[in-house]
């Protein structure tokens, strides 16, 4: 991991930095791995030497000096659409305050890709990992166990799952929202979902809607379901297909806000009044919800709290101050303007 | 970078994998660092051994075996608002096809944070780095030079900058759009910009608007400018401040689409017709532009082409097949519905 060209200059070592900063190699290592444990004066002198020499810590030396790289990893399904952005931002803010660098990988909702990324982040020396949801390959979990990497599952909460998680109950949240839709007299309810394969959040949201229908004695299997890719365009196209059915749905539940925003746009293009002729709901409560017209009624996901708490938990787990925990956060309905009574 | 608990099992070595897979350690290393150079059969056997043993490549061994980690880094200013998401997605798709893992860091538009992230990605053994824009600390560039890390600057093109870049001319693009606004009779033109400190893209877009005004004999310094943080809310607040001025601007240029979407929402809340009473333009052409009402006229940034070409260039530079290049892509106006003639 040193320089990449044979003809490059000799690579400065930890010893070179220690000598130049007139401190022990252990002190240099502490500055790099646990800066809060070093006086500001010493740290300034060491970091100056690090910069002057262009020193980049070497894994071997670092592993010997302190069994951590002070880098955490996060693997998210996508960097698009800002679904995970706010939570990740809060996660990073806490880590930054602790001098920890965050490296993020995006799996494209592909469990095989996530497995490679987990392997790579472990190889790069990540001290701890933030993961999204419970769906991943057995080998992914096996690697985390074998290498004893502290990790936490977010964006989902499964009381039966054995591992640390800070999330919310996707199924219960969607069931609650669906009950509110039913309370407003809607019976022809359709659902636009993200692809559920490898995405437990999406799957649980569909299950939540079905369970609410069943609880009212309605047939869950009769609910029209469009499973589609995660984009405005796909949401609009799915809404278009649903509204061509007869009888037409009076309410369309969307598995996330991006699909709902696409549905809203399509409703506008079809000249349909929302919520007068058709109600539309989302899930996530990203900032987009307040930008679309009418503003989107959705489920509020506690992005920032989830990110902050996941960071603190992983810091505690790395430090040996926690063996992990399982926290269920609330995900309440965020009332705006797209859910109304069923048309007469 | 091995296991993090004293009591953990002994860590499997490259030699263990080679023995189990019945190949040489060099072959194992090739599988991990240049899989395309190993037969599928051998690779399958080696990767099976890697998984069975839970082996994670060790930097020391890897640096000896092949001077690359097969991991690229990207440092972007923010993961929010999907500005960089599409380009980064295209960047990652090319890398994935080549078996390269991408790790991303988000600097929060803070050059000092970016410097730490560059240092960390070098320490983690990144083979090459994608960077956004030219504004960064001298030390950031010095590290890249010292360690000879292939890197490319994207989202900006500066003919005078000495380093590899695949971008577009932010100044010229905004000047062209401003000229179109002037052609429609607008003279009271205001600008909502992202914070320009440490953000050359934002600064150049403001300069582009001013240069277009000056080219028509108008006073660039007379253009009202609101510099604000990057969010819908801040865009809306800035638009509100601008529209309280008398005489009121008839056109508001926004430095990016997110600020423009906030301005559009505020115009709606103020009961202002767009573009009848006030024209609003954006910059970036993210998918959001088609979601807002009316659809946003903006500057199209070639996100995907930029990402793809940056990936290919870095792969060539890493392989020694390129010493780098400087490419200026086009960023044409994307005509939609928010730019109209100045009100009489």
């Amino acid at each position: 991991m040193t320089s990449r060209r044979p003809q490059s200059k000799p690579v400065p070592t930890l010893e070179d930095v220690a000598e130049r900063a007139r401190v022990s190699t252990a002190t240099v290592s502490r500055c790099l791995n646990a800066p809060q444990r070093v006086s500001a004066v010493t740290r300034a002198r060491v970091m100056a030497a690090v910069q002057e020499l262009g020193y980049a810590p070497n894994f071997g030396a670092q592993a010997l000096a302190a069994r951590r790289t002070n880098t955490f990893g996060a693997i998210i399904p996508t960097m698009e659409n800002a679904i995970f952005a706010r939570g990740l931002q809060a996660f990073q803010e806490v880590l930054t305050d602790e001098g920890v660098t965050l490296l993020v990988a995006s799996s494209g909702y592909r469990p095989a890709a996530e497995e490679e990324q987990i392997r790579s982040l472990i190889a790069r020396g990540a001290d701890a990992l933030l993961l999204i949801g419970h769906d991943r390959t057995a080998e992914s979990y096996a690697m985390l166990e074998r290498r004893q990497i502290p990790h936490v599952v977010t964006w989902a909460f499964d009381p039966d799952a054995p591992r640390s998680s800070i999330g919310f109950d996707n199924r219960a949240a969607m069931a609650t929202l669906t009950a509110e839709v039913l309370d407003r007299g809607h019976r022809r309810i359709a659902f636009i979902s993200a692809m559920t394969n490898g995405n437990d959040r999406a799957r649980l949201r569909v299950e939540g809607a079905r369970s609410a229908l069943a609880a009212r004695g309605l047939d869950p299997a009769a609910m029209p379901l469009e499973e589609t890719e995660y984009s405005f365009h796909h949401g609009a196209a799915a809404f278009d297909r649903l509204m061509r059915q007869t009888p037409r749905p009076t309410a369309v539940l969307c598995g996330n806000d991006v699909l709902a925003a696409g549905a809203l746009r399509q409703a506008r293009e079809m000249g349909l009044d929302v919520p007068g002729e058709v109600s539309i709901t989302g899930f996530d409560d990203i900032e987009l919800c307040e930008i679309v017209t009418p503003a989107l009624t959705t489920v509020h996901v506690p992005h920032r709290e989830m990110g902050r708490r996941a960071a603190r938990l992983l810091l505690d787990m790395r430090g040996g101050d926690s063996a992990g925990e399982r926290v269920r956060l609330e995900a309440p309905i965020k009332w705006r303007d797209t859910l109304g009574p069923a048309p007469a």
Side-chain angles (χ1 to χ4, degrees), chain A:
Chain A
M1 54 70 58
T2 59
S3 106
R4 270 151 210 77
R5 299 283 185 285
Q7 75 276 19
S8 67
K9 312 192 196 110
V11 177
T13 65
L14 192 74
E15 291 66 24
D16 299 332
V17 175
E19 189 178 309
R20 190 183 193 99
R22 304 187 309 284
V23 299
S24 71
T25 52
T27 301
V28 175
S29 165
R30 257 196 306 282
C31 284
L32 297 168
N33 299 293
Q36 65 282 5
R37 288 165 50 204
V38 183
S39 79
V41 178
T42 305
R43 176 156 200 258
R45 205 163 74 228
V46 170
M47 294 318 286
V50 165
Q51 295 200 359
E52 287 152 23
L53 294 170
Y55 173 74
N58 165 288
F59 264 116
Q62 201 169 57
L64 293 175
R67 293 183 175 279
R68 54 175 62 171
T69 63
N70 232 32
T71 299
F72 282 16
I75 303 177
I76 59 177
T78 176
M79 289 185 187
E80 296 205 47
N81 303 328
I83 340 164
F84 300 107
R86 224 182 325 157
L88 210 57
Q89 182 61 34
F91 183 71
Q92 176 157 10
E93 283 164 13
V94 174
L95 296 184
T96 301
D97 292 345
E98 298 295 323
V100 172
T101 299
L102 174 64
L103 297 179
V104 181
S106 167
S107 67
Y109 289 95
R110 299 190 312 281
E114 188 197 34
E115 181 182 316
E116 275 311 303
Q117 291 164 336
I118 290 173
R119 181 172 289 108
S120 174
L121 279 162
I122 293 176
R124 302 283 86 75
D127 291 341
L129 294 182
L130 175 138
L131 303 170
I132 306 293
H134 289 282
D135 277 6
R136 56 185 44 83
T137 67
E139 173 57 19
S140 295
Y141 282 124
M143 275 190 287
L144 294 167
E145 304 303 337
R146 278 195 222 100
R147 310 306 306 280
Q148 302 178 27
I149 308 294
H151 57 283
V152 59
V153 167
T154 54
W155 265 268
F157 180 79
D158 175 354
D160 304 327
R163 61 197 66 249
S164 279
S165 67
I166 294 183
F168 55 93
D169 189 328
N170 286 275
R171 185 196 279 107
M174 186 58 92
T176 303
L177 177 59
T178 306
E180 292 283 352
V181 172
L182 288 163
D183 288 344
R184 282 158 181 70
H186 295 276
R187 289 299 176 269
R188 297 198 304 278
I189 299 172
F191 199 110
I192 301 176
S193 172
M195 308 303 286
T196 54
N197 179 28
N199 183 342
D200 53 348
R201 287 88 59 212
R203 200 168 53 249
L204 290 164
R205 293 170 194 183
V206 173
E207 287 179 18
R210 287 181 172 148
S211 66
L213 292 170
R216 302 288 179 98
L218 302 168
D219 175 12
M223 177 180 75
L225 171 66
E226 289 278 341
E227 229 184 85
T228 186
E229 282 173 54
Y230 200 147
S231 82
F232 293 118
H233 291 287
H234 287 88
F239 182 83
D240 183 65
R241 287 191 294 275
L242 288 170
M243 298 312 280
R244 294 183 187 289
Q245 300 182 358
T246 46
R248 210 167 63 185
T250 64
V252 177
L253 309 172
C254 299
N256 60 62
D257 292 339
V258 173
L259 293 174
L264 269 177
R265 182 185 58 185
Q266 185 60 27
R268 195 165 64 231
E269 286 180 11
M270 297 170 89
L272 290 169
D273 176 62
V274 177
E277 293 171 277
V278 58
S279 288
I280 296 175
T281 61
F283 200 113
D284 283 338
D285 196 19
I286 57 179
E287 205 172 14
L288 172 70
C289 297
E290 297 178 19
I291 295 304
V292 295
T293 353
L296 186 67
T297 297
T298 189
V299 171
H300 173 74
V301 168
H303 298 95
R304 293 192 59 84
E305 181 182 6
M306 197 160 46
R308 273 196 306 272
R309 293 185 63 160
R312 293 200 198 99
L313 175 57
L314 287 177
L315 287 163
D316 288 346
M317 291 170 78
R318 178 181 70 163
D321 303 325
S322 168
E325 59 180 324
R326 290 187 290 162
V327 176
R328 172 186 165 155
L329 302 174
E330 291 309 308
I333 296 172
K334 178 66 181 180
W335 294 102
R336 293 197 184 88
D337 310 327
T338 57
L339 173 54

